[in-house]
Amino acid sequence: MKLSRGKAIIDIEGTFVNIYNSFVLKGEIFMNSLKGRVAIVTGASRGVGKGVALGLAEYGATVYITGRTEDGKELPHFLKDTNIYKTSEEVTKLGGVGVPHKCDHSKDEEVELLFKRVIEEQGRLDILVNNAWGGGIHAMQEYFFNTPFWKQPVSLWDDNFTVGVRSNYVASSFAAEIMMKQKCGLIVNISFYGGRRYMNNVTYGVCKAAVDRLSADTAYELKDYGVPVFSLYPGQVSTEGMIEYAKYDSNIDLGKMESPQFVGRCVAALANNENAIIDTGKVLITGEVAERYGFTDIDGKQPKSLRSELW
């Protein structure tokens, strides 16, 4: 079994760094186990949130899976089998410990109860991934794309920011109270390229830009406590919805997409890096994180960064 030290590379901000003496095994990052580490992943009933939970589960983490969906009977047919309990079961099957927790992230009192539960049951919190997004109910409407902002409902703004920006701030506040006392932890805000360039609509872009600024400024205030914060940009992801849409649109190439679980592997890599604080506050891209830490997607492919196309 051959192990080698990580090599010096150029990071995504163009700075000359090394891979913090990570060990690489046959192209895969030789991670320390996340067994005993505790994570909260918001909006993890399906999609990227579920994938993050599964990626952390691969390394043995205990994952609190939040969401509103306990029974998907009222959802579209391709989402009926998605809920917090299904995700929890899959987390446990992969070697982690899945803990479902129903939570509406637009309600601060429910979020507070979530964090109280975690501390009462685990005594610590190591990872928070803010993924919940309230814009999904709008994304399936025609006005979401190619419609000027003055013709879109104001509720699009409200829903994007209530669960997607404000909710990230609230959850991060509760997490920070815990992590600053521990002098360790990790907060990851799932964002996207709309924070850097026009994409979909005005509200979407402003929301993602706000998430990125939230990451940068919370990172600044948490740095002295040893708690790194990042915005993480996935590529095109083969979520349940994308798989369904591909049935009707031949232009959608699922083979070129990242799996949701790949995003989770990126979070796991960051959580296992004791020197992640060096890059705190930055926007990271999943494809570049994988290249930096030396791991692939679940199908063995190496997803590419979309920086050149979308940055």
Side-chain angles (χ1 to χ4, degrees):
M1 189 176 292
K2 185 178 180 181
L3 296 171
S4 60
R5 291 281 186 177
K7 297 178 181 178
I9 57 171
I10 303 298
D11 76 1
I12 67 169
E13 296 296 332
T15 305
F16 189 74
V17 296
N18 60 44
I19 313 183
Y20 311 126
N21 290 325
S22 300
F23 284 104
V24 179
L25 172 60
K26 294 183 178 179
E28 294 290 326
I29 195 74
F30 188 72
M31 294 183 178
N32 298 318
S33 174
L34 291 178
K35 187 174 182 179
R37 308 276 283 280
V38 181
I40 293 174
V41 182
T42 74
S45 296
R46 62 190 69 87
V48 169
K50 177 179 178 179
V52 170
L54 298 182
L56 294 173
E58 289 186 85
Y59 300 97
T62 295
V63 187
Y64 282 74
I65 294 125
T66 81
R68 295 175 297 172
T69 307
E70 293 185 289
D71 187 334
K73 289 182 179 178
E74 296 183 2
L75 296 174
H77 68 91
F78 59 93
L79 296 177
K80 288 188 182 299
D81 200 36
T82 63
N83 57 64
I84 56 176
Y85 302 110
K86 289 287 186 181
T87 301
S88 178
E89 290 173 7
E90 292 185 41
V91 164
T92 302
K93 287 179 181 177
L94 277 174
V97 178
V99 185
H101 184 96
K102 184 179 181 182
C103 182
D104 183 340
H105 283 273
S106 69
K107 299 178 179 179
D108 295 353
E109 62 275 15
E110 291 192 17
V111 179
E112 183 176 12
L113 287 174
L114 163 67
F115 282 85
K116 284 184 176 179
R117 179 189 179 188
V118 171
I119 291 303
E120 287 173 359
E121 294 179 355
Q122 307 296 333
R124 62 182 297 112
L125 176 64
D126 301 286
I127 303 163
L128 168 66
V129 180
N130 286 311
N131 170 76
W133 178 53
I137 59 173
H138 298 275
M140 301 181 75
Q141 305 300 319
E142 290 185 6
Y143 62 74
F144 190 79
F145 303 98
N146 303 315
T147 301
F149 71 90
W150 59 89
K151 292 186 177 181
Q152 292 181 323
V154 176
S155 60
L156 175 62
W157 177 280
D158 293 337
D159 292 336
N160 267 268
F161 274 79
T162 299
V163 180
V165 180
R166 187 183 186 280
S167 60
N168 290 17
Y169 178 84
V170 172
S172 295
S173 296
F174 286 119
E177 287 276 1
I178 299 166
M179 294 176 177
M180 55 85 67
K181 293 175 184 177
Q182 298 174 165
K183 300 291 186 182
C184 65
L186 170 70
I187 299 175
V188 176
N189 294 303
I190 303 299
S191 189
F192 202 58
Y193 295 89
R196 309 288 299 194
R197 53 165 288 178
Y198 182 84
M199 185 175 289
N200 298 332
N201 56 65
V202 170
T203 293
Y204 183 85
V206 177
C207 172
K208 299 308 179 188
V211 169
D212 295 345
R213 186 67 194 198
L214 177 66
S215 296
D217 287 1
T218 53
Y220 180 84
E221 295 191 357
L222 284 170
K223 186 173 183 178
D224 288 344
Y225 298 98
V227 179
V229 185
F230 301 103
S231 277
L232 182 62
Y233 286 12
Q236 296 297 326
V237 182
S238 56
T239 60
E240 298 90 348
M242 193 61 73
I243 291 171
E244 179 67 16
Y245 296 149
K247 296 177 182 178
Y248 310 100
D249 187 346
S250 60
N251 293 317
I252 296 176
D253 187 351
L254 296 174
K256 292 183 178 180
M257 294 186 180
E258 301 172 3
S259 73
Q261 195 166 327
F262 178 69
V263 185
R265 288 185 171 185
C266 292
V267 177
L270 295 169
N272 273 295
N273 181 4
E274 294 180 355
N275 296 298
I277 196 71
I278 292 172
D279 290 328
T280 190
K282 292 182 178 180
V283 172
L284 304 180
I285 296 171
T286 53
E288 296 175 6
V289 171
E291 290 182 4
R292 178 173 181 171
Y293 289 91
F295 62 89
T296 64
D297 205 338
I298 57 175
D299 60 1
K301 294 180 180 178
Q302 193 78 59
K304 301 299 182 184
S305 167
L306 297 181
R307 176 185 293 273
S308 62
E309 299 176 47
L310 298 178
W311 192 262

